[in-house]
Amino acid sequence: MTKTLAVAVPGPFLAPLDYLPPSDSPQPPIGSRVRVPLGRREVIGIVTAEHDQSTINESRLRAVTRVIDEAPLLPTSLMSLIAWAARYYHHPIGEAYATALPARLRQGQPAVPGEQTYWRITTTGREQSADAWQKRAPRQAMLLQALKDNDALAAGDLAGLGGDARGALQRLVERGFAEAIKRSDYGTIQAETTAPAPVLNDAQATTAARIMPGEGHQAILLEGVTGSGKTEVYLDAIARATEMGLQSLVIVPEIGLTPQLLSRFRRRLNARIAVLHSGLADGERLNAWLAAAHGRADVIIGTRSAVFVPLARPGLMIVDEEHDASLKQQEGFRYSARDLAVLRAHRAEVPVVLGSATPALETLANAAQKRYLHCQLNERAGNARPPSMQLLDMRGQPTQEGLSQPLITRVGEHLEADGQVLLFLNRRGFAPVIICHECGWLAECERCDARYTYHRGRRRLHCHHCDSERRIPDACPQCGSVDLRPLGLGTERIEAALEAAFPETPLVRIDRDTTRRRGGFEQQMAAAVRGDARLLLGTQMLAKGHHLPAVTLVAIIDADQGLFGADFRAAERLAQLVVQVAGRAGRAERPGEVVIQTHHPEHPLLQTLIHGGYPAFARTALLEREAAGLPPSRAMALLRAEAVQREAPMRFLRAASRIAPQYRGLECLGPYPAPMEKRAGRFRAQLMLQADERAVLQTMLEAWVPQLQPLREARAVRWSIDVDPTETL
């Protein structure tokens, strides 16, 4: 009887498809890539199993057309994790495997490292004085000195240098001061190890001692106030893992946090470091992936998808800022990198550390139930003291573009005392609304239930939900009036107000608009850290995890945005954001101050944060969630649907609800339109499932999801399942 191969292929298939082995090549091993026919095309798939026979008649089976890998590309342990995740999140198995692979491997290209470009100094360049070039070309001077200090610079070494470092290197090449060479390798970054490890304080040392690479699995919640030195604890554990010949995987929520971590790790670790995130070129990403898989990297720093990177010698896993919503994929394969890291560490029998100053309520609940060891760093490292916090009542206060006079005065006092000031507003653009002063017309996006944001710098109206743009109309399309006014606050508007109030003070604004260019974020942050800019203004990009030792005042311009959100997690997100932003103040010797502007100073959430901090908020919020029957006390999943026609999603969800299996302790709520019903030209609705036990919810989904695709109403919609949703909007 002919054996068959189970192959996970891209497409809406919850299980692998059966194929016959190739007739003209050896049997492909499990975990290798093959090219197979699918309909009228050929696709790349992963061999997941071998069977003695198929449930499909052999005459209907098609054969593998090409074996791409002679050896397994993925280890069985990682394949098991991917298969488990596909089942848990009820996502097509082939799409789950595709998420785990770099783009070039998904395209069928060879699993070998590509050529990397390196730059090295020439004899002519070595004779040049970097100081002599400082005024004419400061970036070239910096790179010239870096070339003198290093045998060669790789593309990864340019991270954090700011601006167009690659372009500056090219100009050095044109002058004959440097030369570009290519060689085939994994592109890992060798650490500098120029900074000695500091002596850990008692709390850090106690926590670090509990992280034991090489001694089995541990799940550790490291809750540390901002500035308490969580990264030093990470470094201590990673250094010990590296000395034992083990690899460490460090997952961060956003690309923006990668350069600063990389810089600190390079200064402190005698290790080869690989970086994995979406900002890399396809070749760089493949090289880093292979470096981890082949054991050529000791430390891997990556964003969400790095949880699937193969590790030759796994020894330690760390999830930094574990509370961050960016760790949950919101489109396609909706997995949680944090939760999968915990499961992967358990299966690999290695420690996993979840670090945060504001842990997610789910994580705190796990710690309370003794699933995680809960370690706390309650004091800032060194002589730094926690900042003082106060609410600034905006009711009846005259303002200058959203800045109250008391706040402007406070900013001026800190600047005069040679302090650095950070102002936070989590809304980019100049204003979130353009309104006609005569008739009240609002500039609304035609494709979304949302209003256009006015970007004054580009003279455009931009929808931040569907990314559509249009020019600002010359007159109101409703009444013809030319009196169109911006309403509300954005970072551009605050920037203009600060420039008017403090015209002589250097200012840097950090948001998605000012950091679009490659290297833009690193350049802006470098200016902030150096103190070149005394006024810092930004969105949450500026608030997360950055060490800004000169900041003595943090001002939250509008704390009211998250007080009355429709999502049940809105209060948790606001509390985390306030604490994270406030943590940028007073991280060095000078004391810090935090001012929060609000029209609701008596709001219980703000009062709790001011007087009891995040732990007090979390205790109250967990009790409220339990009373309301919401996660983490109950399990949740959402069935989402969207379509161009308004009624199609509701029809599909009603049909899905009618065939939903009934279980004790499980309830089905809805269907109902999404809070933003129309987005990007499509109408959206959802059905909520809640269960007392996670196993009951999974049992129901396993029986229900396969029945959804055959529904006649499913043909008119795009639908998806979101297990453990972090957003219910």
Side-chain angles (χ1 to χ4, degrees):
M1 185 171 292
T2 305
K3 291 183 180 293
T4 59
L5 301 175
V7 181
V9 298
F13 311 108
L14 294 178
L17 304 183
D18 285 352
Y19 287 88
L20 295 172
S23 58
D24 57 352
S25 61
Q27 181 95 340
I30 293 173
S32 64
R33 292 173 299 157
V34 291
R35 185 177 292 276
V36 296
L38 184 65
R40 298 182 179 179
R41 59 194 177 100
E42 288 194 342
V43 297
I44 306 298
I46 297 286
V47 179
T48 63
E50 180 184 289
H51 302 302
D52 290 334
Q53 62 182 21
S54 173
T55 56
I56 301 173
N57 189 289
E58 185 175 327
S59 63
R60 297 177 54 198
L61 292 178
R62 305 169 77 178
V64 169
T65 57
R66 185 165 74 90
V67 177
I68 299 174
D69 304 306
E70 295 180 359
L73 184 68
L74 298 173
T76 55
S77 59
L78 184 56
M79 293 179 66
S80 175
L81 179 77
I82 295 169
W84 183 95
R87 289 194 305 272
Y88 182 83
Y89 294 106
H90 299 275
H91 193 73
I93 183 68
E95 301 292 339
Y97 272 102
T99 300
L101 296 177
R104 291 194 175 181
L105 296 184
R106 294 197 300 269
Q107 296 161 4
Q109 297 188 31
V112 295
E115 283 191 334
Q116 288 287 302
T117 300
Y118 288 81
W119 292 268
R120 64 187 180 192
I121 198 164
T122 62
T123 303
T124 305
R126 195 168 293 281
E127 294 171 352
Q128 299 294 315
S129 168
D131 293 338
W133 286 86
Q134 187 63 42
K135 290 186 177 180
R136 284 181 289 175
R139 185 165 291 110
Q140 292 179 53
M142 176 180 64
L143 287 165
L144 187 63
Q145 188 59 51
L147 288 168
K148 288 184 176 182
D149 296 338
N150 297 273
D151 293 334
L153 290 179
D157 295 320
L158 307 183
L161 294 180
D164 185 13
R166 197 181 292 256
L169 277 170
Q170 181 58 35
R171 287 186 285 277
L172 289 177
V173 171
E174 292 168 357
R175 289 192 166 100
F177 299 164
E179 61 179 349
I181 57 175
K182 288 185 180 291
R183 63 183 185 222
S184 179
D185 67 9
Y186 292 88
T188 54
I189 303 165
Q190 184 61 46
E192 299 167 356
T193 62
T194 57
V199 177
L200 300 181
N201 61 35
D202 290 345
Q204 290 172 323
T206 299
T207 299
R210 293 182 172 182
I211 305 171
M212 297 177 287
E215 298 189 24
H217 173 67
Q218 306 162 283
I220 299 171
L221 166 60
L222 175 50
E223 180 182 6
V225 299
T226 53
S228 59
K230 293 186 292 295
T231 304
E232 292 299 335
V233 175
Y234 300 160
L235 286 165
D236 179 87
I238 292 170
R240 286 184 281 121
T242 303
E243 289 173 0
M244 299 170 67
L246 301 174
Q247 292 173 297
S248 299
L249 173 62
V250 182
I251 299 175
V252 296
E254 293 185 358
I255 297 173
L257 295 177
T258 307
Q260 64 164 355
L261 266 183
L262 178 60
S263 177
R264 290 187 69 175
F265 282 27
R266 289 190 66 188
R267 291 196 303 269
R268 289 280 307 283
L269 296 172
N270 183 20
R272 298 162 297 177
I273 303 173
V275 177
L276 270 168
H277 58 68
S278 59
L280 299 174
D282 287 348
E284 294 171 326
R285 191 172 176 85
L286 172 61
N287 286 353
W289 193 92
L290 292 171
H294 296 169
R296 299 296 187 93
D298 306 304
V299 181
I300 299 91
I301 304 174
T303 47
R304 186 174 54 225
S305 63
V307 73
F308 295 116
V309 68
L311 298 173
R313 307 179 308 278
L316 174 66
M317 297 183 189
I318 295 171
V319 183
D320 193 29
E321 307 294 349
E322 65 81 29
H323 68 278
D324 200 291
S326 300
L327 292 169
K328 176 72 186 288
Q329 172 71 26
Q330 299 298 341
E331 298 291 337
F333 185 21
R334 299 170 185 260
Y335 65 92
S336 165
R338 176 198 64 203
D339 296 348
L340 289 182
V342 173
L343 177 63
R344 186 176 184 185
H346 174 74
R347 291 185 168 193
E349 298 185 352
V350 302
V352 59
V353 181
L354 309 179
S356 176
T358 55
L361 296 186
E362 286 81 0
T363 305
L364 288 170
N366 280 323
Q369 294 166 15
K370 307 302 181 184
R371 294 193 180 105
Y372 301 162
L373 176 65
H374 193 175
C375 298
Q376 295 176 286
L377 301 177
N378 296 321
E379 296 182 359
R380 289 190 163 188
N383 297 320
R385 289 173 288 171
S388 62
M389 297 180 66
Q390 69 176 87
L391 300 175
L392 186 55
D393 190 351
M394 293 287 287
R395 293 175 295 191
Q397 289 272 9
T399 62
Q400 297 181 31
E401 304 286 21
L403 303 178
S404 65
Q405 188 55 52
L407 177 58
I408 293 175
T409 300
R410 199 75 54 85
V411 171
E413 291 170 352
H414 279 261
L415 292 176
E416 288 178 9
D418 200 30
Q420 197 175 38
V421 176
L422 187 156
L423 297 101
F424 172 82
L425 179 66
N426 205 24
R427 187 188 292 125
R428 58 193 174 100
F430 188 84
V433 182
I434 287 287
I435 188 170
C436 174
H437 190 57
E438 295 295 326
C439 72
W441 169 84
L442 299 171
E444 295 182 319
C445 176
E446 297 86 353
R447 305 179 69 230
C448 303
D449 290 335
R451 301 182 178 102
Y452 279 115
T453 297
Y454 171 40
H455 288 255
R456 190 173 70 170
R458 294 185 282 127
R459 298 290 299 167
R460 304 286 288 177
L461 296 176
H462 183 195
C463 176
H464 292 170
H465 300 282
C466 70
D467 224 25
S468 64
E469 288 192 10
R470 56 174 289 190
R471 68 177 184 85
I472 300 172
D474 296 323
C476 173
Q478 190 164 287
C479 72
S481 170
V482 296
D483 192 0
L484 302 179
R485 302 185 181 184
L487 191 66
L489 302 175
T491 49
E492 278 187 44
R493 193 166 197 164
I494 300 299
E495 180 182 35
L498 290 171
E499 288 173 341
F502 306 100
E504 304 299 323
T505 305
L507 181 150
V508 63
R509 188 180 103 228
I510 298 179
D511 56 29
R512 281 184 59 189
D513 297 321
T514 62
T515 58
R516 289 181 183 274
R517 294 179 58 186
R518 187 180 176 103
F521 177 81
E522 291 82 2
Q523 185 177 9
Q524 299 278 59
M525 282 304 304
V529 172
R530 288 194 306 267
D532 297 348
R534 301 278 307 288
L535 282 170
L536 313 178
L537 168 65
T539 59
Q540 62 182 358
M541 292 179 68
L542 185 59
K544 294 182 179 180
H546 302 295
H547 181 59
L548 300 166
V551 170
T552 56
L553 173 65
V554 165
I556 299 175
I557 304 300
D558 183 7
D560 300 339
Q561 293 181 45
L563 290 178
F564 307 102
D567 193 314
F568 74 89
R569 298 184 193 273
E572 179 184 1
R573 295 273 162 75
L574 177 62
Q576 290 166 341
L577 196 54
V578 167
V579 173
Q580 292 282 338
V581 176
R584 301 314 108 202
R587 294 172 68 94
E589 300 294 327
R590 301 177 61 178
E593 182 180 6
V594 179
V595 174
I596 303 172
Q597 290 194 151
T598 176
H599 286 88
H600 304 278
E602 71 289 340
H603 193 283
L605 185 151
L606 295 177
Q607 287 293 325
T608 300
L609 286 179
I610 290 293
H611 298 294
Y614 187 79
F617 160 78
R619 288 192 296 270
T620 302
L622 281 169
L623 292 174
E624 291 174 348
R625 295 273 188 89
E626 186 174 2
L630 292 168
S633 65
R634 300 185 83 199
M636 178 184 287
L638 287 177
L639 174 61
R640 292 187 168 98
E642 60 178 48
V644 175
Q645 299 80 22
R646 183 188 293 271
E647 286 303 316
M650 294 294 287
R651 281 197 297 268
F652 165 72
L653 293 174
R654 282 193 289 266
S657 179
R658 286 194 294 269
I659 65 171
Q662 302 298 311
Y663 290 88
R664 183 186 298 274
L666 185 144
E667 58 183 333
C668 185
L669 306 176
Y672 52 88
M676 181 184 290
E677 184 179 12
K678 186 180 181 184
R679 182 172 181 175
R682 304 179 71 87
F683 293 93
R684 309 183 302 151
Q686 53 199 33
L687 191 67
M688 180 182 291
L689 305 170
Q690 287 188 278
D692 296 336
E693 300 291 337
R694 193 173 305 278
V696 171
L697 178 61
Q698 283 294 327
T699 300
M700 181 269 184
L701 291 173
E702 287 172 10
W704 186 46
V705 172
Q707 301 178 47
L708 298 179
Q709 193 64 44
L711 288 173
R712 178 173 53 86
E713 294 85 353
R715 301 171 193 168
V717 301
R718 290 198 308 226
W719 62 270
S720 63
I721 288 284
D722 190 357
V723 179
D724 302 333
T726 56
E727 295 181 358
T728 58
L729 299 182

